[in-house]
mmCIF file with all atom_site columns, all heavy atoms in Angstrom:
data_model
loop_
_atom_site.group_PDB
_atom_site.id
_atom_site.type_symbol
_atom_site.label_atom_id
_atom_site.label_alt_id
_atom_site.label_comp_id
_atom_site.label_asym_id
_atom_site.label_entity_id
_atom_site.label_seq_id
_atom_site.pdbx_PDB_ins_code
_atom_site.Cartn_x
_atom_site.Cartn_y
_atom_site.Cartn_z
_atom_site.occupancy
_atom_site.B_iso_or_equiv
_atom_site.pdbx_formal_charge
_atom_site.auth_seq_id
_atom_site.auth_comp_id
_atom_site.auth_asym_id
_atom_site.auth_atom_id
_atom_site.pdbx_PDB_model_num
ATOM 1  N N   . LEU A 1 57  ? 37.347 -13.963 -84.969 1.00 92.00 ? 319 LEU A N   1
ATOM 2  C CA  . LEU A 1 57  ? 36.218 -13.904 -85.969 1.00 92.00 ? 319 LEU A CA  1
ATOM 3  C C   . LEU A 1 57  ? 36.230 -12.657 -86.679 1.00 92.00 ? 319 LEU A C   1
ATOM 4  O O   . LEU A 1 57  ? 36.988 -11.725 -86.229 1.00 92.00 ? 319 LEU A O   1
ATOM 5  C CB  . LEU A 1 57  ? 34.873 -14.074 -85.147 1.00 92.00 ? 319 LEU A CB  1
ATOM 6  C CG  . LEU A 1 57  ? 34.897 -15.189 -84.059 1.00 92.00 ? 319 LEU A CG  1
ATOM 7  C CD1 . LEU A 1 57  ? 33.659 -15.046 -83.120 1.00 92.00 ? 319 LEU A CD1 1
ATOM 8  C CD2 . LEU A 1 57  ? 34.882 -16.557 -84.805 1.00 92.00 ? 319 LEU A CD2 1
ATOM 9  N N   . ASN A 1 60  ? 31.852 -9.294  -84.029 1.00 90.00 ? 322 ASN A N   1
ATOM 10 C CA  . ASN A 1 60  ? 31.649 -9.675  -82.712 1.00 90.00 ? 322 ASN A CA  1
ATOM 11 C C   . ASN A 1 60  ? 30.229 -10.172 -82.313 1.00 90.00 ? 322 ASN A C   1
ATOM 12 O O   . ASN A 1 60  ? 29.971 -10.180 -81.138 1.00 90.00 ? 322 ASN A O   1
ATOM 13 C CB  . ASN A 1 60  ? 32.084 -8.550  -81.744 1.00 90.00 ? 322 ASN A CB  1
ATOM 14 C CG  . ASN A 1 60  ? 31.314 -7.260  -82.036 1.00 90.00 ? 322 ASN A CG  1
ATOM 15 O OD1 . ASN A 1 60  ? 30.493 -7.321  -82.871 1.00 90.00 ? 322 ASN A OD1 1
ATOM 16 N ND2 . ASN A 1 60  ? 31.708 -6.149  -81.389 1.00 90.00 ? 322 ASN A ND2 1
ATOM 17 N N   . LYS A 1 61  ? 29.460 -10.340 -83.307 1.00 95.00 ? 323 LYS A N   1
ATOM 18 C CA  . LYS A 1 61  ? 28.070 -10.885 -83.090 1.00 95.00 ? 323 LYS A CA  1
ATOM 19 C C   . LYS A 1 61  ? 28.098 -12.308 -83.376 1.00 95.00 ? 323 LYS A C   1
ATOM 20 O O   . LYS A 1 61  ? 28.238 -12.662 -84.449 1.00 95.00 ? 323 LYS A O   1
ATOM 21 C CB  . LYS A 1 61  ? 26.976 -10.052 -83.985 1.00 95.00 ? 323 LYS A CB  1
ATOM 22 C CG  . LYS A 1 61  ? 25.676 -10.187 -83.376 1.00 95.00 ? 323 LYS A CG  1
ATOM 23 C CD  . LYS A 1 61  ? 24.818 -9.001  -84.075 1.00 95.00 ? 323 LYS A CD  1
ATOM 24 C CE  . LYS A 1 61  ? 23.370 -9.392  -84.165 1.00 95.00 ? 323 LYS A CE  1
ATOM 25 N NZ  . LYS A 1 61  ? 22.703 -8.512  -85.141 1.00 95.00 ? 323 LYS A NZ  1
ATOM 26 N N   . ILE A 1 62  ? 27.778 -13.155 -82.324 1.00 96.00 ? 324 ILE A N   1
ATOM 27 C CA  . ILE A 1 62  ? 27.890 -14.560 -82.500 1.00 96.00 ? 324 ILE A CA  1
ATOM 28 C C   . ILE A 1 62  ? 26.527 -15.230 -82.156 1.00 96.00 ? 324 ILE A C   1
ATOM 29 O O   . ILE A 1 62  ? 25.738 -14.704 -81.347 1.00 96.00 ? 324 ILE A O   1
ATOM 30 C CB  . ILE A 1 62  ? 28.937 -15.151 -81.779 1.00 96.00 ? 324 ILE A CB  1
ATOM 31 C CG1 . ILE A 1 62  ? 28.761 -15.068 -80.155 1.00 96.00 ? 324 ILE A CG1 1
ATOM 32 C CG2 . ILE A 1 62  ? 30.362 -14.562 -82.117 1.00 96.00 ? 324 ILE A CG2 1
ATOM 33 C CD1 . ILE A 1 62  ? 29.716 -15.949 -79.401 1.00 96.00 ? 324 ILE A CD1 1
ATOM 34 N N   . ALA A 1 63  ? 26.341 -16.384 -82.603 1.00 96.00 ? 325 ALA A N   1
ATOM 35 C CA  . ALA A 1 63  ? 25.332 -17.353 -82.176 1.00 96.00 ? 325 ALA A CA  1
ATOM 36 C C   . ALA A 1 63  ? 25.908 -18.437 -81.533 1.00 96.00 ? 325 ALA A C   1
ATOM 37 O O   . ALA A 1 63  ? 27.079 -18.926 -81.874 1.00 96.00 ? 325 ALA A O   1
ATOM 38 C CB  . ALA A 1 63  ? 24.415 -17.701 -83.300 1.00 96.00 ? 325 ALA A CB  1
ATOM 39 N N   . GLY A 1 160 ? 28.502 -19.592 -84.253 1.00 97.00 ? 422 GLY A N   1
ATOM 40 C CA  . GLY A 1 160 ? 28.360 -19.076 -85.673 1.00 97.00 ? 422 GLY A CA  1
ATOM 41 C C   . GLY A 1 160 ? 28.557 -17.603 -85.636 1.00 97.00 ? 422 GLY A C   1
ATOM 42 O O   . GLY A 1 160 ? 28.406 -16.967 -84.435 1.00 97.00 ? 422 GLY A O   1
ATOM 43 N N   . VAL A 1 162 ? 26.990 -13.848 -86.930 1.00 96.00 ? 424 VAL A N   1
ATOM 44 C CA  . VAL A 1 162 ? 25.790 -13.240 -87.372 1.00 96.00 ? 424 VAL A CA  1
ATOM 45 C C   . VAL A 1 162 ? 26.256 -12.084 -88.242 1.00 96.00 ? 424 VAL A C   1
ATOM 46 O O   . VAL A 1 162 ? 26.604 -11.136 -87.717 1.00 96.00 ? 424 VAL A O   1
ATOM 47 C CB  . VAL A 1 162 ? 24.814 -12.815 -86.175 1.00 96.00 ? 424 VAL A CB  1
ATOM 48 C CG1 . VAL A 1 162 ? 23.598 -12.170 -86.839 1.00 96.00 ? 424 VAL A CG1 1
ATOM 49 C CG2 . VAL A 1 162 ? 24.579 -14.089 -85.318 1.00 96.00 ? 424 VAL A CG2 1
ATOM 50 N N   . ALA B 1 53  ? 21.413 -18.797 -78.975 1.00 90.00 ? 178 ALA B N   1
ATOM 51 C CA  . ALA B 1 53  ? 21.481 -17.507 -78.460 1.00 90.00 ? 178 ALA B CA  1
ATOM 52 C C   . ALA B 1 53  ? 22.366 -16.566 -79.342 1.00 90.00 ? 178 ALA B C   1
ATOM 53 O O   . ALA B 1 53  ? 23.534 -17.002 -79.641 1.00 90.00 ? 178 ALA B O   1
ATOM 54 C CB  . ALA B 1 53  ? 21.991 -17.664 -77.032 1.00 90.00 ? 178 ALA B CB  1
ATOM 55 N N   . VAL B 1 54  ? 21.826 -15.338 -79.608 1.00 91.00 ? 179 VAL B N   1
ATOM 56 C CA  . VAL B 1 54  ? 22.676 -14.504 -80.249 1.00 91.00 ? 179 VAL B CA  1
ATOM 57 C C   . VAL B 1 54  ? 23.328 -13.412 -79.287 1.00 91.00 ? 179 VAL B C   1
ATOM 58 O O   . VAL B 1 54  ? 22.513 -12.841 -78.503 1.00 91.00 ? 179 VAL B O   1
ATOM 59 C CB  . VAL B 1 54  ? 21.907 -13.647 -81.414 1.00 91.00 ? 179 VAL B CB  1
ATOM 60 C CG1 . VAL B 1 54  ? 22.590 -12.645 -82.175 1.00 91.00 ? 179 VAL B CG1 1
ATOM 61 C CG2 . VAL B 1 54  ? 21.384 -14.693 -82.494 1.00 91.00 ? 179 VAL B CG2 1
ATOM 62 N N   . LEU B 1 55  ? 24.564 -13.255 -79.352 1.00 91.00 ? 180 LEU B N   1
ATOM 63 C CA  . LEU B 1 55  ? 25.343 -12.432 -78.354 1.00 91.00 ? 180 LEU B CA  1
ATOM 64 C C   . LEU B 1 55  ? 26.201 -11.432 -79.068 1.00 91.00 ? 180 LEU B C   1
ATOM 65 O O   . LEU B 1 55  ? 26.863 -11.693 -80.033 1.00 91.00 ? 180 LEU B O   1
ATOM 66 C CB  . LEU B 1 55  ? 26.247 -13.421 -77.627 1.00 91.00 ? 180 LEU B CB  1
ATOM 67 C CG  . LEU B 1 55  ? 25.533 -14.670 -76.968 1.00 91.00 ? 180 LEU B CG  1
ATOM 68 C CD1 . LEU B 1 55  ? 26.676 -15.625 -76.652 1.00 91.00 ? 180 LEU B CD1 1
ATOM 69 C CD2 . LEU B 1 55  ? 24.758 -14.192 -75.792 1.00 91.00 ? 180 LEU B CD2 1
ATOM 70 N N   . LEU B 1 57  ? 29.381 -9.338  -78.513 1.00 92.00 ? 182 LEU B N   1
ATOM 71 C CA  . LEU B 1 57  ? 30.724 -9.271  -77.623 1.00 92.00 ? 182 LEU B CA  1
ATOM 72 C C   . LEU B 1 57  ? 31.438 -7.946  -77.890 1.00 92.00 ? 182 LEU B C   1
ATOM 73 O O   . LEU B 1 57  ? 31.160 -7.310  -78.879 1.00 92.00 ? 182 LEU B O   1
ATOM 74 C CB  . LEU B 1 57  ? 31.566 -10.401 -78.065 1.00 92.00 ? 182 LEU B CB  1
ATOM 75 C CG  . LEU B 1 57  ? 30.919 -11.771 -78.018 1.00 92.00 ? 182 LEU B CG  1
ATOM 76 C CD1 . LEU B 1 57  ? 31.852 -12.850 -78.627 1.00 92.00 ? 182 LEU B CD1 1
ATOM 77 C CD2 . LEU B 1 57  ? 30.353 -12.279 -76.764 1.00 92.00 ? 182 LEU B CD2 1
ATOM 78 N N   . VAL B 1 159 ? 32.104 -19.972 -73.860 1.00 97.00 ? 284 VAL B N   1
ATOM 79 C CA  . VAL B 1 159 ? 32.556 -19.018 -74.719 1.00 97.00 ? 284 VAL B CA  1
ATOM 80 C C   . VAL B 1 159 ? 33.052 -17.870 -73.864 1.00 97.00 ? 284 VAL B C   1
ATOM 81 O O   . VAL B 1 159 ? 32.379 -17.436 -72.909 1.00 97.00 ? 284 VAL B O   1
ATOM 82 C CB  . VAL B 1 159 ? 31.615 -18.488 -75.730 1.00 97.00 ? 284 VAL B CB  1
ATOM 83 C CG1 . VAL B 1 159 ? 32.020 -17.145 -76.361 1.00 97.00 ? 284 VAL B CG1 1
ATOM 84 C CG2 . VAL B 1 159 ? 31.087 -19.460 -76.715 1.00 97.00 ? 284 VAL B CG2 1
#
Side-chain angles (χ1 to χ4, degrees):
Chain A
L319 309 174
N322 61 359
K323 196 166 161 195
I324 66 165
V424 180
Chain B
V179 174
L180 308 163
L182 310 174
V284 169

